[in-house]
Amino acid sequence: MAGIYIHIPFCKSFCTYCGFYSKLIRNNGATELFVAALVKELESRRMFLPKGSIIKTIYMGGGTPSILSPKQFMSIFTALSQQYDLSSVEEFTIEVNPDDICSKYSEGLLEAFKTCGVNRVSIGIQSFCDEHLNWMNRRHSAAQAEQALHLLRSLFDNISLDLIFGFPLLSHEQWKNNLEKAVASGVQHISAYQLSVDPESVLAQQSKDGHFLECDEDICRTQYEFMQNYLVSKGFDQYEISNFCKKGFHSRHNSSYWTREPYLGLGPGAHSFDGSRLRCWNEPDLANYLERAEPECEMLSDVDIYNEKVMLGLRTSAGIDAELLRGAVVHNLSYDPAKNRYYIAKQDLFISDSIILDYLQ
Ligand code: SF4
């Protein structure tokens, strides 16, 4: 069974650190045109998933999917359900921003999600401190973050929350407070990312101009390790470098990327994969997308596949099949003899990038 990813490429403003493909939205016209193009793509793309395929997971990300009106969201869902068999969908996630949840609650956006079978909501909180949110140029306040979580909790029992650590303004006390608030909110899943300078972000320009200095690596490590210990003490399991969940609440859609299952990506910039060697992607360009540009594709070589398996697998607590490293000198991985798998020990996950590099070809 396969997954579907849908990219909604619009934001009302850009967050300082973000490098995702997205266009600034000023009116509803562009979203209308986009939704029409997306429905067309859904009706015409047969490359990876023939009509009637059974879908296991759906993930709507962005950009900002919560920018859509209930009607636009329902149009996309209707097109989806006309093309594919959604009767076995285990997980349907939508990414939302707190400001949309607060301002569009009365428009029935959350009800539309529920009606269409959304059963998991991923909310970009990033911090519960207004000073941080201003610096990141987020569109919401700390109070809105809490209000949005409260509203979501009244309708959904599978909520994921994103946080960011490792930026200069964040003190240890504030990080502790962010984690405490995240846990107290009752969410089932927490993703936490260390701030990095994405070359496509505003931060990259600030860094070039000397207006931004990255946080000291020792401080980042302290914050990461504090988070690991704190979240585990609160009943969360760390199942991937940046992801923690209560038992049974891991992201099924994201996990299927790590185990290289097939998925179809729709929308500008979205990638598709046949589960074996073929990867295709839509150019990250809204204008070309509206003109129905064909996706680009590549065939993965044996070395590409090996590297993908190592890179993706070692990010997870499940690790990789030991056979994959047959003949390699293994020196900094842990080994589970019962499962015959190698994995990175929890205390080494902070330096996982450099460990993974040792095993790439
Ligand atoms: S973080 Fe999300 S809301 Fe902010 S610019 Fe990136 S895609 Fe848009």
Side-chain angles (χ1 to χ4, degrees):
M1 281 194 278
I4 291 183
Y5 173 77
I6 299 174
H7 190 75
I8 309 294
F10 298 109
C11 291
K12 286 183 198 151
S13 55
F14 292 137
C15 307
T16 321
Y17 54 84
C18 181
F20 287 131
Y21 177 66
S22 190
K23 300 289 280 182
L24 208 54
I25 185 145
R26 295 202 171 81
N27 57 52
N28 201 27
T31 23
E32 283 294 330
L33 284 176
F34 165 73
V35 170
L38 185 67
V39 168
K40 280 241 154 46
E41 189 188 13
L42 252 167
E43 288 165 354
S44 60
R45 279 281 292 280
R46 294 283 162 263
M47 210 156 165
F48 289 86
L49 300 178
K51 187 167 179 168
S53 295
I54 298 173
I55 304 303
K56 192 172 80 168
T57 60
I58 306 170
Y59 194 105
M60 196 179 273
T64 319
S66 51
I67 252 174
L68 297 171
S69 68
K71 191 165 160 270
Q72 289 166 337
F73 175 77
M74 304 234 342
S75 311
I76 297 172
F77 177 76
T78 305
L80 256 182
S81 57
Q82 283 166 353
Q83 297 302 315
Y84 297 110
D85 179 349
L86 305 185
S87 59
S88 307
V89 168
E90 293 171 11
E91 185 184 274
F92 184 173
T93 304
I94 186 154
E95 285 179 358
V96 300
N97 272 21
D99 53 315
D100 292 328
I101 295 304
C102 296
S103 65
K104 295 167 94 175
Y105 183 67
S106 54
E107 287 177 29
L109 188 65
L110 297 186
E111 277 77 7
F113 294 166
K114 279 261 20 140
T115 308
C116 296
V118 169
N119 59 6
R120 183 170 184 271
V121 180
S122 173
I123 182 166
I125 298 286
Q126 317 313 356
S127 173
F128 289 96
C129 171
D130 282 330
E131 189 194 3
H132 301 158
L133 296 169
N134 286 335
W135 177 74
M136 292 176 194
N137 201 31
R138 295 288 296 171
R139 295 187 290 279
H140 66 272
S141 64
Q144 281 177 312
E146 301 210 30
Q147 192 195 349
L149 279 166
H150 182 72
L151 291 170
L152 289 177
R153 287 286 316 278
S154 66
L155 283 165
F156 296 92
D157 56 11
N158 189 353
I159 300 169
S160 178
L161 169 162
D162 283 1
L163 292 175
I164 296 179
F165 68 95
F167 55 95
L169 278 182
L170 181 69
S171 70
H172 181 74
E173 270 315 300
Q174 289 168 329
W175 181 226
K176 185 166 171 271
N177 183 52
N178 280 347
L179 288 166
E180 282 170 357
K181 286 210 158 134
V183 169
S185 74
V187 296
Q188 291 76 18
H189 190 283
I190 295 173
S191 301
Y193 302 98
Q194 182 177 334
L195 187 94
S196 61
V197 181
D198 188 296
E200 302 297 323
S201 67
V202 173
L203 209 53
Q205 192 54 47
Q206 290 183 357
S207 181
K208 221 161 112 196
D209 299 343
H211 298 297
F212 171 72
L213 265 187
E214 281 188 70
C215 198
D216 185 272
E217 198 65 2
D218 285 344
I219 295 175
C220 295
R221 178 195 275 267
T222 305
Q223 292 179 349
Y224 184 77
E225 291 176 351
F226 176 81
M227 164 179 73
Q228 287 182 299
N229 294 331
Y230 178 75
L231 291 181
V232 167
S233 79
K234 297 294 174 189
F236 285 82
D237 175 40
Q238 183 174 16
Y239 69 105
E240 200 260 354
I241 293 173
S242 309
N243 287 290
F244 299 78
C245 69
K246 287 283 173 75
K247 197 172 168 25
F249 285 94
H250 62 281
S251 162
R252 280 148 183 81
H253 185 85
N254 289 341
S255 300
S256 71
Y257 291 151
W258 305 326
T259 49
R260 302 182 78 251
E261 286 171 43
Y263 54 86
L264 174 68
L266 300 158
H271 285 233
S272 303
F273 178 51
D274 71 349
S276 171
R277 279 186 190 277
L278 182 63
R279 263 187 204 290
C280 295
W281 60 94
N282 289 332
E283 206 187 334
D285 184 309
L286 182 63
N288 285 354
Y289 183 76
L290 295 178
E291 294 294 318
R292 303 189 64 188
E294 284 296 312
E296 296 175 43
C297 293
E298 69 168 341
M299 274 296 200
L300 301 180
S301 66
D302 288 348
V303 170
D304 291 335
I305 292 173
Y306 164 86
N307 283 339
E308 272 193 4
K309 285 183 177 169
V310 169
M311 259 190 298
L312 297 170
L314 285 180
R315 293 179 64 89
T316 68
S317 59
I320 53 175
D321 190 325
E323 292 306 309
L324 196 61
L325 297 187
R326 186 194 281 267
V329 181
V330 177
H331 56 103
N332 45 12
L333 298 176
S334 298
Y335 177 63
D336 178 344
K339 295 184 177 145
N340 193 31
R341 293 182 79 82
Y342 285 117
Y343 61 95
I344 298 178
K346 295 270 192 290
Q347 66 271 19
D348 291 332
L349 279 175
F350 184 74
I351 53 160
S352 56
D353 284 351
S354 67
I355 294 178
I356 289 170
L357 265 182
D358 285 351
Y359 298 97
L360 297 184
Q361 288 181 358

